[in-house]
């Protein structure tokens, strides 16, 4: 942790599946990126859903049920503390579709790839929160259509949500911290490159191992997020008090 810690005004934090690993949720690279016998990239697509909706519903129903059996870990808790205590702005841009940041107490969150506990109607675009399984047989509660319901999730080949808000946050960021992401999936993997082009903010990677984009970061810490994130937040808040 060699960098002299200064106090930063606007902090943007990008999180990926690695921050939820110690809560017991699989990352996309676990089991070689496979779910049952399918590559995740092949299940999380509009084409897969059109071809075999029951398979894709099963993939998300299983993960939605599993989410209710896990808890936030100290990395989620530390980010919620940072948002509560930091003098400036803190925003989490998460690639994760779990609700562990919310359950840890974070408020300022952008779910750029959607949310597991939300479903959307393909006919009337209604979005609702549910913890239950959904299927093609279920009519939309708003418009009555069936088949109509799909996970409110951004699949491969679909446009991530709130990209304008994310870009606005990156343009103002004094500090960009990337936590628990392999840097494989765009556009999220390109945010650190955008930060370097803007040329203002300090960029930090906290990940179990070097990500694809490790060379773009000013500062890197490799190890478990559950240990490194609380330590890093502690240093940020201490620098606040000195400022
Ligand atoms: C888009 C929701 C454009 C689903 C997700 C060819 C054809 C089509 C598209 C493309 C293509 N080539 C490139 C693309 C673009 C594509 C892409 O990047 N593909 C990759 C595979 C090459 N991107 C897209 O399709 C995106 N959309 O480009 O739209 C467009 C333009 C105009 C108009 C329309 C469209 C959409 C991407 C979003 C896909 N949905 N999630 C679901 O959850 O089921 S992506 C999903 O995978 C995650 O959300 C996440 O983003 C990604 C996995 O990334 P990570 O989170 O990094 O997870 P991973 O397992 O990879 O890494 C975990 C890391 O944690 C590891 O490094 C590990 O070491 C570390 N770790 C593990 N344990 C710990 C730890 N670190 C710390 N502590 C620990 N304890």
């Amino acid at each position: 942790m060699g960098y002299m810690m200064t106090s930063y005004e606007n902090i943007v934090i990008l999180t990926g599946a690695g921050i939820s690993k110690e809560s017991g949720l699989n990352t996309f690279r676990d089991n070689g990126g496979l779910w049952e016998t399918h590559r995740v990239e092949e299940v999380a697509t509009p084409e897969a859903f059109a071809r075999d909706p029951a398979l894709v519903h099963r993939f998300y129903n299983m993960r939605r049920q599993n989410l209710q059996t896990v808890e936030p870990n100290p990395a989620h808790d530390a980010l919620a503390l940072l948002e509560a205590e930091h003098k400036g702005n803190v925003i989490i841009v998460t690639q994760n579709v779990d609700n562990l940041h919310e359950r840890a107490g974070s408020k300022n969150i952008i779910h750029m790839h959607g949310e597991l506990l939300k479903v959307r109607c393909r006919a009337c675009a209604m979005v609702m929160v549910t913890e239950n399984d959904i299927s093609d047989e279920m009519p939309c509660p708003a418009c009555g259509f069936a088949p109509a319901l799909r996970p409110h999730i951004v699949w491969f080949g679909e446009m991530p949500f709130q990209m304008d808000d994310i870009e606005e946050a990156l343009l103002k960021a004094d500090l960009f911290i990337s936590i628990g992401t392999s840097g494989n999936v765009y556009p999220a993997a390109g945010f650190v490159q955008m930060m370097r082009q803007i040329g203002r903010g300090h960029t930090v990677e906290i990940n179990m191992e070097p990500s694809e984009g490790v060379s773009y970061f000013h500062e890197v810490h490799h190890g478990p997020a559950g240990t490194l994130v609380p330590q890093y937040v502690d240093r940020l808040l201490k620098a606040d008090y000195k400022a």
Side-chain angles (χ1 to χ4, degrees):
M1 300 254 198
Y3 264 80
M4 228 296 275
M5 181 63 80
T6 65
S7 176
Y8 300 98
E9 171 69 19
N10 299 316
I11 302 176
V12 175
I13 301 159
L14 173 68
T15 62
I19 199 170
S20 299
K21 176 79 175 173
E22 290 161 83
S23 295
L25 291 183
N26 264 356
T27 71
F28 285 77
R29 296 152 54 97
D30 290 331
N31 337 313
L34 289 177
W35 169 73
E36 292 183 358
T37 59
H38 308 278
R39 285 205 55 72
V40 170
E41 280 86 10
E42 279 145 32
V43 178
T45 67
E47 294 75 20
F49 188 59
R51 190 172 54 243
D52 188 348
L55 174 92
V56 176
H57 278 309
R58 193 163 72 244
F59 178 52
Y60 288 97
N61 289 341
M62 179 212 67
R63 289 168 65 194
R64 196 175 300 112
Q65 293 315 321
N66 185 39
L67 181 53
Q68 293 156 57
T69 68
V70 299
E71 299 291 326
N73 67 58
H76 297 105
D77 297 338
L79 295 185
L81 177 73
L82 180 66
E83 180 182 329
E85 302 281 320
H86 177 54
K87 291 178 188 161
N89 307 307
V90 176
I91 184 166
I92 294 176
V93 178
T94 187
Q95 302 173 83
N96 299 337
V97 294
D98 64 53
N99 63 344
L100 295 177
H101 284 305
E102 287 86 347
R103 286 168 54 194
S106 290
K107 307 251 181 301
N108 200 6
I109 304 169
I110 293 179
H111 277 278
M112 65 179 290
H113 291 160
E115 298 173 65
L116 207 41
L117 296 184
K118 286 184 179 168
V119 296
R120 180 168 87 232
C121 175
R122 285 173 281 162
C124 71
M126 173 277 316
V127 175
M128 71 178 186
V129 175
T130 183
E131 294 192 342
N132 305 321
D133 289 0
I134 60 168
S135 71
D136 263 10
E137 289 68 41
M138 274 171 79
C140 164
C143 72
F145 260 65
L149 298 179
R150 64 161 277 179
H152 188 54
I153 294 258
V154 177
W155 285 327
F156 288 95
E158 294 185 322
M159 181 55 93
F161 296 146
Q162 296 184 254
M163 287 303 291
D164 296 346
D165 298 334
I166 295 170
E167 195 161 325
E168 191 184 324
L170 292 174
L171 285 167
K172 289 189 301 192
D174 307 298
L175 176 62
F176 175 78
I177 313 173
S178 177
I179 303 172
T181 180
S182 64
N184 277 307
V185 175
Y186 285 82
F191 292 163
V192 65
Q193 298 166 47
M194 205 188 290
M195 285 299 297
R196 300 307 305 267
Q197 280 149 18
I198 296 163
R200 284 184 57 239
H202 182 55
T203 56
V204 181
E205 168 171 283
I206 297 177
N207 202 54
M208 188 60 95
E209 62 194 6
S211 73
E212 293 295 313
V214 66
S215 59
Y216 291 103
F217 289 91
H218 294 106
E219 182 181 354
V220 299
H221 303 285
H222 294 137
T227 307
L228 295 181
V229 176
Q231 287 171 352
Y232 202 81
V233 166
D234 191 43
R235 287 177 60 222
L236 284 172
L237 292 177
K238 282 201 175 70
D240 269 359
Y241 301 140
K242 283 200 199 93

